Amino acid sequence: MTQTDDQKTLFETAYPASRKVYHDPDGLRVPFREIGLTNGEVLEVYDTTGPQGHAPEDGIPEKRSDWIDARDDSADDPENITQMHYARRGKITREMEFVAEREGCEPEFVRDEIARGRAILPNNVNHPESEPMIIGRNFKVKVNANIGNSAVTSSIDEEVDKLRWAATWGADTVMDLSTGDNIHETREWILRNSPVPIGTVPLYEALERVGGAPEDLSWEVMREVLIEQADQGVDYFTLHAGVLLRFIRHTEGRIGGICSRGGSIMAKWCMAHHEENFLYTHWDEICEIAKRYDVAFSLGDGLRPGAIADANDEAQFAELKIQGELTQKSWEHDVQVMCEGPGHVPLDKIQENMDKQLDWCQEAPFYTLGPLTTDIAPGYDHITSAIGAADIARRGTAMICYVTPKEHLGLPDKDDVKEGLIAYRIAAHAADLAKGHPRAQEWDDALSKARFEFRWRDQFNLSLDPQTARDYHDETLPAEPAKEAHFCSMCGPKFCSMKITDDIREFAQQQGYGDLEEAREAGMDEKAEEFRQEGGAV
């Protein structure tokens, strides 16, 4: 679809039999997607799709404007308007109430998690279009999608289209990683059309302003970019402040070197000037900027491993310890913080990453790229990384950054964005199930029941990607009557285990047995086979 397509049409195409509904306690209007089933039941699921029917050039409604205007900022520090600042003073904001309804918990629990630094609610006051969401290990695992133009390809129209596409397929946040021309204008369009928090790596724009030469960067240029982006409405900054001069030598023996774009830029600046990372040395000033807008920090993992062989090495963990130090400094300003985690890590080394992050970073939310669990699958790294993402998320990671099939190969298009998001929503949901998150299993149970009862349309519509599920089914059984059949093309009409199970249950009931165990004890298995042969099974 193109940018001119209506968002409502996109929603209806992506999710047949669904509609937007709102929970409206005290006028909050918290969105959910309601899936209507053929048996008359409905299921409500978490919704990120945003308002519908708004032209991109007009933007979407400013949902939070009245909430922001009504705040009492005259208390002890009018220059500090962060959610953490309010939470630590016992105040439950409208945003916290919204999140509580969305997550199925109490507002006081939300406030407490933010006050402790164990969760963040990224909501720049200059991005009133956003629908509040929370990132923390005691909440639903969130998924980030990266978009952005580059010096090689893409345009503003395409990036806004990718934003809408990402929100439709379940991105909880979106990072605009644009480089090249029109960075500011591209970001403006994205922000005005985004119902989800927007993150950036301000270093990229700073580098553009100095002609792409890392050694020409300066704190003055960076400060200017930070203020402009905060004023524009960016909700969180990724800042590679933990790449310290003394750590760079630890990367010399690596197979993958420094794989982070931001990490390599800062490393080159440090080496060129033989000075300490200016983001690290000016951290208090960065906090002063952030707290005036409520911009959260994502502490970039600039020395993350870019190869399996480099996982959990000295460089990676040295930076992680500095992330813990920067977390404490940020909390002194009541600035919200999450810490970014590793790229390429085999399964047996994932637990150590989670343990050290919780310990060294005082339980601040962990936000990980994958991790990718093997290096041998270019073109399928959305799978290699989703395996690691599910594992680390069940252990406590709060948000996972999607990887698309184009990882390591090129700039993703819309199809890649969708594939990456579906893979990561599977990973996130698998982790939510493992952690016992409220409402998670309701969705699985609804689909399992539809599958067993051969309600094919419900099985399609309850899936993360309804159209793909339907298309796969219809490749071999496209006729509409097949949607009523009690079998699929895998087993056919005589070998469907679910149909046979249903026949056994029916026979047990006809014979007057109370349950299957009682029937088995009476030798029912043999009789059931006779029943099936006589026509009991379709």
Side-chain angles (χ1 to χ4, degrees):
M1 301 182 74
T2 66
Q3 182 191 330
T4 56
D5 288 311
D6 186 77
Q7 185 76 350
K8 183 177 181 180
T9 302
L10 177 56
F11 176 90
E12 292 172 345
T13 301
Y15 300 115
S18 286
R19 68 186 185 108
K20 296 270 287 192
V21 297
Y22 296 88
H23 292 191
D24 200 27
D26 198 22
L28 288 171
R29 282 185 59 80
V30 181
F32 290 86
R33 178 165 66 90
E34 182 186 87
I35 307 169
L37 307 181
T38 58
N39 63 358
E41 297 176 359
V42 297
L43 178 74
E44 289 184 353
V45 298
Y46 195 101
D47 178 74
T48 62
T49 57
Q52 302 171 5
H54 301 279
E57 58 269 22
D58 296 332
I60 60 176
E62 296 184 353
K63 181 176 186 65
R64 297 189 300 119
S65 288
D66 291 344
W67 302 354
I68 294 167
D69 292 343
R71 285 182 189 169
D72 179 11
D73 298 328
S74 61
D76 54 345
D77 188 356
E79 290 295 306
N80 194 331
I81 58 171
T82 72
Q83 294 290 322
M84 175 177 262
H85 186 72
Y86 292 122
R88 286 181 162 181
R89 283 147 187 80
K91 181 176 177 60
I92 295 175
T93 64
R94 294 286 278 170
E95 288 86 353
M96 295 176 201
E97 292 174 349
F98 186 100
V99 161
E101 181 66 26
R102 210 172 190 186
E103 295 276 345
C105 61
E106 293 301 315
E108 175 57 29
F109 179 72
V110 173
R111 186 206 63 77
D112 186 61
E113 290 292 287
I114 294 171
R116 294 174 61 173
R118 202 155 57 187
I120 68 170
L121 201 166
N123 263 169
N124 188 323
V125 291
N126 289 341
H127 184 197
E129 297 90 348
S130 67
E131 297 173 340
M133 55 82 70
I134 196 162
I135 301 168
R137 66 189 176 97
N138 289 322
F139 300 96
K140 180 180 178 291
V141 175
K142 304 305 189 299
V143 177
N144 172 71
N146 293 334
I147 64 173
N149 67 351
S150 75
V152 177
T153 184
S154 197
S155 67
I156 292 175
D157 285 355
E158 289 171 327
E159 294 312 313
V160 174
D161 202 23
K162 279 187 202 172
L163 165 72
R164 289 186 155 189
W165 185 250
T168 296
W169 291 110
D172 295 288
T173 76
V174 168
M175 289 203 74
D176 172 22
L177 305 183
S178 294
T179 58
D181 298 330
N182 303 315
I183 295 177
H184 187 91
E185 186 180 0
T186 300
R187 188 170 54 246
E188 181 67 22
W189 277 69
I190 287 172
L191 282 162
R192 302 291 74 86
N193 283 279
S194 180
V196 301
I198 296 296
T200 64
V201 183
L203 188 62
Y204 296 169
E205 184 170 2
L207 189 63
E208 291 288 352
R209 295 191 182 188
V210 296
E215 59 272 20
D216 291 340
L217 285 165
S218 67
W219 163 242
E220 289 71 28
V221 171
M222 188 68 183
R223 181 178 183 276
E224 182 180 87
V225 170
L226 291 172
I227 292 172
E228 286 188 19
Q229 291 197 9
D231 193 59
Q232 200 173 12
V234 172
D235 297 289
Y236 64 93
F237 293 150
T238 287
L239 299 167
H240 298 87
V243 180
L244 303 189
L245 178 62
R246 63 184 181 272
F247 298 160
I248 298 171
R249 62 184 176 85
H250 297 322
T251 69
E252 292 175 1
R254 282 180 161 187
I255 288 179
I258 300 175
C259 71
S260 161
R261 186 193 296 177
S264 65
I265 292 168
M266 288 313 309
K268 187 171 183 180
W269 185 90
C270 290
M271 293 298 289
H273 296 271
H274 203 70
E275 293 180 12
E276 193 53 274
N277 185 330
F278 58 74
L279 295 173
Y280 179 80
T281 58
H282 289 86
W283 195 253
D284 284 330
E285 294 170 74
I286 295 173
C287 290
E288 291 291 341
I289 294 169
K291 70 185 184 183
R292 292 200 295 269
Y293 300 89
D294 197 6
V295 177
F297 294 148
S298 182
L299 301 179
D301 51 342
L303 300 179
R304 68 177 180 267
I308 288 294
D310 303 332
N312 296 20
D313 68 358
E314 189 173 5
Q316 178 196 341
F317 285 152
E319 182 185 24
L320 184 60
K321 284 185 177 178
I322 297 301
Q323 288 183 352
E325 175 190 325
L326 295 171
T327 294
Q328 287 284 16
K329 287 186 175 182
S330 302
W331 287 349
E332 290 171 7
H333 294 268
D334 290 346
V335 173
Q336 302 183 91
V337 181
M338 59 182 170
C339 302
E340 294 187 15
H344 297 236
V345 179
L347 283 168
D348 61 301
K349 294 185 177 181
I350 285 177
Q351 183 67 60
E352 184 180 10
N353 278 268
M354 194 72 247
D355 291 345
K356 282 182 165 53
Q357 193 274 337
L358 290 173
D359 182 17
W360 296 345
C361 301
Q362 303 86 48
E363 298 188 89
F366 206 18
Y367 165 34
T368 61
L369 178 70
L372 289 78
T373 53
T374 178
D375 291 339
I376 64 168
Y380 297 91
D381 278 331
H382 58 309
I383 298 174
T384 67
S385 61
I387 293 169
D391 189 57
I392 203 166
R394 77 179 178 90
R395 299 177 191 275
T397 285
M399 185 161 77
I400 48 181
C401 183
Y402 89 155
V403 171
T404 77
K406 289 276 182 63
E407 186 75 10
H408 303 112
L409 301 172
L411 188 71
D413 61 18
K414 287 176 62 180
D415 290 339
D416 301 315
V417 167
K418 177 184 173 183
E419 283 200 54
L421 276 167
I422 295 298
Y424 268 67
R425 288 188 65 200
I426 293 169
H429 187 76
D432 286 338
L433 281 171
K435 296 193 303 178
H437 187 278
R439 302 177 179 170
Q441 193 171 330
E442 292 177 8
W443 197 343
D444 291 76
D445 290 349
L447 198 148
S448 297
K449 187 177 179 183
R451 178 176 289 150
F452 187 79
E453 294 176 359
F454 298 99
R455 288 185 278 117
W456 290 103
R457 294 178 184 83
D458 290 346
Q459 187 178 165
F460 305 150
N461 293 332
L462 283 164
S463 68
L464 288 174
D465 182 0
Q467 190 58 54
T468 296
R470 176 183 286 269
D471 288 347
Y472 282 165
H473 174 273
D474 289 358
E475 281 181 8
T476 48
L477 292 171
E480 279 305 301
K483 308 298 189 299
E484 311 297 333
H486 284 212
F487 62 88
C488 70
S489 60
M490 173 68 79
C491 297
K494 293 186 178 181
F495 294 94
C496 175
S497 61
M498 292 187 179
K499 175 56 183 169
I500 294 170
T501 299
D502 198 43
D503 291 339
I504 292 170
R505 290 179 177 178
E506 181 183 347
F507 182 71
Q509 291 173 355
Q510 288 182 5
Q511 297 299 311
Y513 296 113
D515 55 34
L516 290 180
E517 184 60 33
E518 182 183 340
R520 276 194 293 271
E521 290 174 357
M524 191 200 82
D525 288 350
E526 184 177 339
K527 294 179 181 179
E529 176 60 21
E530 294 175 6
F531 173 72
R532 190 181 73 82
Q533 294 292 345
E534 291 170 1
V538 176

